[in-house]
Amino acid sequence: MDKSQVIKRFLPANTPTPDDQAEAFAASNIALCKYWGKRDRELNLPINPSLSVSLADLGTRTRLTPIEGKKDKIRLNGKVVNGSSSFATKIVEFLDLFRSSKAARLQVDTHNSIPTAAGLASSASGFAALTKAINQLYGFDLDPAIQSAFARMGSGSASRSIFDGFVEWQMGVREDGMDSHAVPFEESWPEFRIGLLTLTEAEKTVGSRSGMQRTLETAHLYQSWPLQACADLEKLKQAIRDRNFEILGQTAEQNALSMHATMIASWPPLLYWQPESVATMQRIWQLRESGVCVYFTMDAGPNIKVLFEAGQQAVIEQTFPQVKVVSPFACQTPVASG
Ligand code: DP6
């Protein structure tokens, strides 16, 4: 089944006249239980469910404006993007899924507030913001779960960026994938912190899309991954409900390392770690030995995301002076009356 067949079933037969402009923001997200491996590559349907936490105001803001002409115009952080670049091609292909050929071309202005060197994928917040903006521009008025399923077709992790806070991406079983979308996990944890550590700006040579495919095809170890992920998802949800940071941290760290174990067991081997990554892991383990409740997670790159609670922020900032600390639930902290 291809993407456009699936999407068309949820859109009006004739694309409505677009508004003058639409603008939407989506936060980036960090998975505590990772998505790694697809059962359908066309629709980005995952082999396992996943769970993430969103990065507050770090994400993507995208504005769509109908324009005259034969081609879309795309700008990233204020700069015109070459129409034949892979970035522009992916956006245009995604827009094509939603508009009829008669529809006007669009100017796409997209801004990432994610520090560019932080090694955070902008595709998650990028496709989520684009999906939200498309929904607004054409007045589709789609349910957020459907927007999540659509964003997933741009990039799997984008399904989770439709929502804020803790978010679960349910893997679903349907062939058309419409039950494979994210749902908010309605719990708030105001003391929860994520420290973004940019350890190296070295370009990664294998992206997550081809990395997960290689793992699936070549690593026997991968067979154990769905079991690990399903068990971790339940543990994480319970730890969040109980506000048990130790269990949450342990589970997220073990989940990330298990994913990396499957990558390393692939052929050719996929090792995203740099010497700085390993040194940072060891520093975190030392801190833990000394009684600091701190854990980490890592994605398909060398950088580390440190997980801790507000009470440990001073020691984390002292240990890692370059850390950028994000408070995913800060805006929900009650304001002290005074
Ligand atoms: C390691 O969502 O970037 O960050 O669906 O192919 O676009 P595609 O992959 P993508 O993969 C993210 C992988 C990960 C784990 C995660 O975010 O869950």
Side-chain angles (χ1 to χ4, degrees):
M1 205 169 282
D2 77 25
K3 289 178 208 170
S4 73
Q5 280 175 313
V6 177
I7 290 177
K8 292 270 145 52
R9 293 210 315 259
F10 291 83
L11 303 183
N14 294 310
T15 309
T17 316
D19 278 353
D20 291 347
Q21 203 170 70
E23 188 173 306
F25 173 79
S28 186
N29 72 77
I30 299 293
L32 302 173
C33 177
K34 309 292 184 188
Y35 146 57
W36 197 247
K38 304 179 195 203
R39 64 176 197 277
D40 183 317
R41 288 160 77 188
E42 163 71 12
L43 301 174
N44 289 335
L45 297 178
I47 283 181
N48 63 279
S50 57
L51 183 113
S52 63
V53 57
S54 63
L55 291 185
D57 58 347
L58 294 185
T60 306
R61 179 169 295 283
T62 295
R63 192 169 61 225
L64 298 178
T65 318
I67 51 168
E68 298 293 326
K70 290 208 169 107
K71 287 191 172 167
D72 300 307
K73 287 190 185 147
I74 295 160
R75 281 203 297 236
L76 172 62
N77 296 335
K79 290 202 183 112
V80 175
V81 178
N82 184 326
S84 53
S85 65
S86 75
F87 181 82
T89 312
K90 279 188 208 153
I91 291 184
V92 171
E93 282 176 5
F94 195 71
L95 291 170
D96 286 343
L97 296 169
F98 296 90
R99 57 188 172 191
S100 68
S101 54
K102 281 174 270 167
R105 291 282 150 196
L106 298 168
Q107 175 158 317
V108 182
D109 284 289
T110 189
H111 285 264
N112 286 332
S113 54
I114 309 157
T116 36
L120 291 170
S122 52
S123 61
S125 54
F127 278 109
L130 188 59
T131 305
K132 287 182 177 184
I134 291 168
N135 180 50
Q136 272 179 38
L137 186 78
Y138 295 113
F140 288 144
D141 203 18
L142 296 166
D143 190 89
I146 294 179
Q147 292 184 54
S148 167
F150 287 177
R152 186 243 305 139
M153 296 185 210
S155 180
S157 50
S159 64
R160 299 184 307 237
S161 275
I162 291 291
F163 302 102
D164 289 322
F166 292 116
V167 179
E168 179 183 352
W169 172 11
Q170 301 176 332
M171 57 181 283
V173 292
R174 280 169 58 152
E175 201 195 334
D176 71 358
M178 287 312 289
D179 56 351
S180 182
H181 58 76
V183 288
F185 187 64
E186 304 278 7
E187 295 280 342
S188 170
W189 195 331
E191 302 79 21
F192 197 97
R193 298 287 180 272
I194 300 174
L196 306 176
L197 280 178
T198 305
L199 302 171
T200 158
E201 289 170 25
E203 281 278 306
K204 60 178 177 187
T205 46
V206 183
S208 33
R209 187 158 294 188
S210 54
M212 64 176 85
Q213 195 52 30
R214 185 189 299 180
T215 311
L216 196 72
E217 284 167 6
T218 66
H220 291 298
L221 205 56
Y222 183 80
Q223 287 179 27
S224 66
W225 169 251
L227 288 176
Q228 170 95 41
C230 289
D232 288 347
L233 181 83
E234 291 314 315
K235 269 202 218 167
L236 284 165
K237 282 164 60 173
Q238 196 53 46
I240 294 169
R241 285 189 204 104
D242 298 343
R243 304 287 183 279
N244 186 332
F245 195 79
E246 233 174 277
I247 303 277
L248 177 137
Q250 279 173 20
T251 312
E253 186 172 307
Q254 193 182 13
N255 182 273
L257 290 172
S258 303
M259 173 183 72
H260 280 272
T262 70
M263 297 168 172
I264 296 167
S266 305
W267 199 263
L270 260 179
L271 180 67
Y272 287 103
W273 305 351
Q274 292 293 325
E276 298 86 344
S277 322
V278 178
T280 304
M281 291 180 203
Q282 285 170 335
R283 192 73 194 90
I284 289 171
W285 292 330
Q286 276 167 7
L287 279 175
R288 223 155 60 214
E289 285 278 293
S290 71
V292 182
C293 194
V294 54
Y295 298 86
F296 67 85
T297 185
M298 281 181 90
D299 293 296
N303 295 314
I304 285 197
K305 289 99 186 184
V306 192
L307 306 171
F308 55 97
E309 286 186 287
Q312 316 290 346
Q313 188 160 335
V315 64
I316 299 301
E317 285 174 334
Q318 204 178 8
T319 314
F320 304 109
Q322 81 277 33
V323 71
K324 171 152 180 61
V325 177
V326 179
S327 308
F329 302 93
C331 54
Q332 295 169 15
T333 313
V335 180
S337 58

